[in-house]
């Protein structure tokens, strides 16, 4: 790649980044994700459906009211013979009948089945809220994973830009030294090679940054229609001690809370299944209207009647082939399964918490060490640069010091965001992720 061409491209990439951009803060990113992320919207719809299911309209406690109406038309040929010996023939005799009725049915008692089913629907609504919370937590973790990737690439790009500036100054110095006979052409060529490499790194990093921004916008539901930058400031806000945080994990972890809801639903399912052992008592009432327009062969030409009827019914399925017994047995097995699942989740939480806590501590320590390493590398580079200017070190040694500083900066950037993501994972595990400010 031509040295001038590579520098121009690298400068263009830098200029595209440093121009005025809207800074998307962590809090703003979370707000946009909660409002626009499609996974969260779908989870919210599931909660709304569960809420609708808990309505009194879906409880079975309300009566049913049915209206019906009908009409019948007859065209008959009738031959009638009476007891006194006379007879008559009637052809094309017309008759019609009309009816309408309202029927009311209400279940007074169904073995308490609807009561437990209604309670189960309420538990399922709370379960759907926990599932939505889990979706939100996972989305927040996904959001910050991409958000901090953008932040890391932004800082990396700035470090690469500074490296390129140093390489450009070195090329100018090497050219002057060559022009005045103080250095060979090799020094100029080495500087040009290093500039090309720095330019290529900038171009690659710039492309990665653009891709990461697109990924972030997808998590945000494509809420941003303009170019943006992100905040690179990171605060480690974990205020809990290990024991207290572990206690929260055993009581507020969303997977554990869902397991407890499933246990409650299974317990209600047993009670609901047992309702099949008890009778059902129902109340019914009907108000009806009937009108008959009879043909000439009838003794009554027109008849109209209205009436109100009501009744009480009892139904007791003394033996249903064993389906109720089987249903109760299966419900009990499901309850035992849910209890075992809860114990398994508790074991997993204990393991995951220990791993997450140690992972956070280690990554935070690594970040602190990398911060100190930056100071050392910066000091080493500045001293090497001074010696390079007076000819006490060669270009290879200078380049190595320059790369050491760059690698220290890149490693520090990576360690910073990995430590923050480890902290967020720990907060998610303990159920406190949505209770902190971003």
């Amino acid at each position: 790649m031509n040295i001038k061409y590579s520098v121009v491209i690298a400068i263009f990439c830098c200029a595209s980044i440093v121009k005025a951009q809207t800074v998307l803060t962590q809090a703003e990113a979370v707000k946009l994700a909660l409002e626009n992320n499609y996974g969260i919207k779908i989870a919210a719809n599931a909660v709304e459906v569960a809420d609708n299911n808990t309505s009194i309209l879906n409880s079975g406690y309300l009566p049913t009211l049915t209206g019906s109406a009908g009409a019948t038309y007859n065209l008959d040929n009738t031959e009638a013979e009476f007891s006194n010996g006379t007879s008559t023939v009637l052809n094309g005799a017309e008759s019609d009948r009309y009816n309408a009725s309202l029927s009311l049915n209400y279940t007074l008692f169904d073995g308490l089945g609807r009561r437990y089913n209604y309670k189960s629907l309420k538990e399922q609504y709370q379960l759907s809220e926990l599932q939505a919370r889990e979706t939100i937590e996972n989305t927040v973790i996904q959001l910050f994973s991409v958000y901090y990737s953008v932040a890391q690439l932004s800082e990396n790009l700035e470090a690469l830009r500074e490296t390129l500036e140093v390489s450009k100054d070195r090329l100018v110095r090497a050219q002057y030294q060559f022009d005045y006979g103080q250095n060979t052409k090799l020094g100029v060529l080495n500087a040009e090679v290093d500039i090309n490499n720095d330019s290529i790194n900038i171009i690659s990093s710039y492309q990665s940054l653009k891709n990461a921004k697109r990924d972030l916008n997808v998590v945000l539901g494509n809420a941003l229609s303009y170019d943006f930058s992100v905040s690179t400031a990171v605060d480690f806000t974990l205020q809990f001690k290990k024991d207290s945080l572990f206690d929260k994990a055993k009581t507020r972890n969303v997977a554990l809370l869902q397991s407890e809801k499933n246990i409650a639903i299974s317990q209600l399912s047993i009670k609901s299944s047992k309702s099949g052992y008890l009778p059902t008592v129902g109340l019914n009432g009907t108000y009806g209207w009937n009108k008959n327009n009879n043909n000439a062969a009838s003794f009554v030409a027109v008849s109209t009647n209205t009436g109100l009827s009501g009744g009480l019914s009892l139904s007791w399925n003394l033996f249903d082939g064993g389906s109720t017994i089987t249903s109760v047995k299966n419900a009990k097995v499901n309850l035992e399964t849910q209890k075992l699942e809860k114990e398994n989740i508790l074991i997993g939480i204990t393991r995951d918490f220990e791993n997450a806590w140690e992972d956070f501590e280690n990554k935070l320590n690594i970040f602190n060490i990398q911060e100190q390493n930056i100071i050392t590398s910066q000091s080493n580079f500045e001293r090497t640069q001074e010696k390079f200017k007076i000819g006490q070190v060669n270009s290879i040694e200078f380049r190595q010091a320059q790369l050491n500083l760059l690698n220290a900066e890149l490693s520090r950037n990576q360690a910073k965001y990995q430590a923050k993501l480890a902290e967020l994972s720990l907060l998610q595990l303990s159920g406190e992720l949505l209770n902190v400010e971003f």
Side-chain angles (χ1 to χ4, degrees):
M1 182 184 292
N2 182 275
I3 183 66
K4 294 183 178 179
Y5 179 70
S6 63
V7 172
V8 168
I9 293 179
I11 292 174
F12 171 76
C13 292
C14 294
S16 299
I17 294 297
V18 300
K19 67 180 182 180
Q21 292 177 329
T22 300
V23 178
L24 180 69
T25 66
Q26 289 95 327
E28 291 171 344
V30 171
K31 182 175 181 295
L32 287 173
L34 294 178
E35 293 175 351
N36 299 286
N37 181 269
Y38 287 98
I40 293 178
K41 287 183 177 180
I42 292 172
N45 286 342
V47 173
E48 185 177 355
V49 170
D51 187 28
N52 292 338
N53 288 337
T54 62
S55 168
I56 190 67
L57 300 175
N58 191 48
S59 65
Y61 280 106
L62 297 180
T64 60
L65 182 63
T66 305
S68 61
T72 304
Y73 172 79
N74 292 327
L75 181 62
D76 301 317
N77 295 324
T78 302
E79 181 179 346
E81 185 174 332
F82 300 100
S83 59
N84 58 7
T86 62
S87 63
T88 182
V89 176
L90 189 63
N91 294 321
E94 296 181 346
S95 64
D96 51 68
R97 295 186 296 275
Y98 305 94
N99 65 83
S101 66
L102 286 175
S103 299
L104 179 71
N105 291 279
Y106 183 66
T107 301
L108 296 176
F109 179 75
D110 68 342
L112 301 177
R114 63 183 172 183
R115 175 186 177 187
Y116 296 122
N117 288 337
Y118 188 51
K119 288 184 176 181
S120 178
L121 289 173
K122 289 185 176 180
E123 294 291 342
Q124 289 173 5
Y125 167 68
Q126 296 176 5
L127 176 62
S128 69
E129 286 187 316
L130 290 172
Q131 291 169 342
R133 173 187 152 189
E134 183 178 26
T135 299
I136 293 173
E137 288 182 354
N138 290 336
T139 302
V140 169
I141 293 295
Q142 180 189 14
L143 167 69
F144 279 111
S145 177
V146 184
Y147 183 95
Y148 288 135
S149 177
V150 174
Q152 180 180 338
L153 288 168
S154 298
E155 288 194 316
N156 289 353
L157 189 61
E158 178 62 23
L160 291 170
R161 185 190 67 80
E162 293 174 357
T163 300
L164 177 61
E165 291 299 319
V166 173
S167 296
K168 288 161 60 179
D169 290 340
R170 174 183 153 206
L171 175 61
V172 172
R173 180 178 294 276
Q175 187 64 52
Y176 281 146
Q177 289 175 340
F178 174 72
D179 292 341
Y180 289 98
Q182 298 177 356
N183 201 351
T184 65
K185 186 65 175 179
L186 182 61
V188 176
L189 294 176
N190 286 337
E192 289 181 348
V193 170
D194 292 337
I195 285 182
N196 281 332
N197 289 332
D198 293 342
S199 301
I200 291 171
N201 290 336
I202 287 178
I203 294 170
S204 298
S205 183
Y206 178 63
Q207 183 61 50
S208 298
L209 177 58
K210 290 197 297 183
N211 293 342
K213 285 185 177 182
R214 295 188 188 102
D215 292 339
L216 178 57
N217 205 17
V218 168
V219 180
L220 299 177
N222 282 334
L224 301 178
S225 58
Y226 51 84
D227 195 13
F228 61 92
S229 61
V230 300
S231 173
T232 58
V234 169
D235 294 324
F236 295 98
T237 58
L238 190 63
Q239 302 294 331
F240 302 100
K241 294 183 177 180
K242 181 179 179 180
D243 291 340
S244 63
L245 198 62
F246 181 55
D247 290 338
K248 290 180 180 293
K250 292 187 294 184
T251 57
R252 291 186 51 80
N253 180 272
V254 68
L256 183 62
L257 293 177
Q258 289 183 62
S259 177
E260 291 174 350
K261 284 300 172 186
N262 285 325
I263 290 175
I265 292 172
S266 296
Q267 290 172 335
L268 291 171
S269 178
I270 294 175
K271 295 179 180 180
S272 177
S273 298
K274 287 182 177 179
S275 66
Y277 294 134
L278 300 176
T280 299
V281 180
L283 179 67
N284 58 79
T286 302
Y287 178 80
W289 169 83
N290 293 276
K291 180 179 181 180
N292 296 326
N293 294 319
N294 300 315
N295 59 37
S298 301
F299 292 104
V300 179
V302 179
S303 66
T304 303
N305 65 75
T306 58
L308 181 66
S309 64
L312 190 67
S313 64
L314 183 143
S315 174
W316 197 339
N317 195 347
L318 298 178
F319 183 69
D320 59 0
S323 62
T324 299
I325 295 174
T326 303
S327 178
V328 171
K329 286 182 177 179
N330 289 340
K332 289 181 178 179
V333 173
N334 289 335
L335 175 60
E336 182 63 25
T337 299
Q338 294 300 331
K339 289 181 178 179
L340 292 173
E341 181 67 24
K342 178 183 177 181
E343 293 300 320
N344 187 48
I345 290 175
L346 278 172
I347 293 174
I349 287 176
T350 302
R351 177 204 61 197
D352 294 343
F353 180 83
E354 291 293 336
N355 291 343
W357 182 267
E358 290 183 4
D359 184 56
F360 170 64
E361 283 191 325
N362 290 337
K363 287 181 176 177
L364 188 60
N365 288 334
I366 291 173
F367 168 63
N368 292 330
I369 293 172
Q370 292 290 0
E371 285 275 59
Q372 185 62 41
N373 192 33
I374 287 287
I375 299 175
T376 304
S377 298
Q378 181 67 43
S379 177
N380 178 63
F381 172 72
E382 291 174 354
R383 292 185 180 184
T384 304
Q385 188 176 40
E386 291 298 324
K387 290 184 178 181
F388 177 72
K389 291 178 180 179
I390 61 178
Q392 293 183 354
V393 298
N394 57 36
S395 61
I396 296 177
E397 293 172 320
F398 175 77
R399 179 63 175 178
Q400 187 60 52
Q402 184 185 22
L403 292 179
N404 288 342
L405 176 59
L406 174 62
N407 291 332
E409 291 175 337
L410 299 183
S411 298
R412 186 271 313 273
N413 296 341
Q414 182 181 34
K416 177 171 67 171
Y417 297 114
Q418 284 185 344
K420 185 59 181 180
L421 289 174
E423 180 190 62
L424 294 176
S425 297
L426 188 58
L427 289 171
Q428 180 189 22
L429 188 62
S430 63
E432 292 293 323
L433 179 63
L434 303 181
N435 296 331
V436 297
E437 294 185 1
F438 300 104

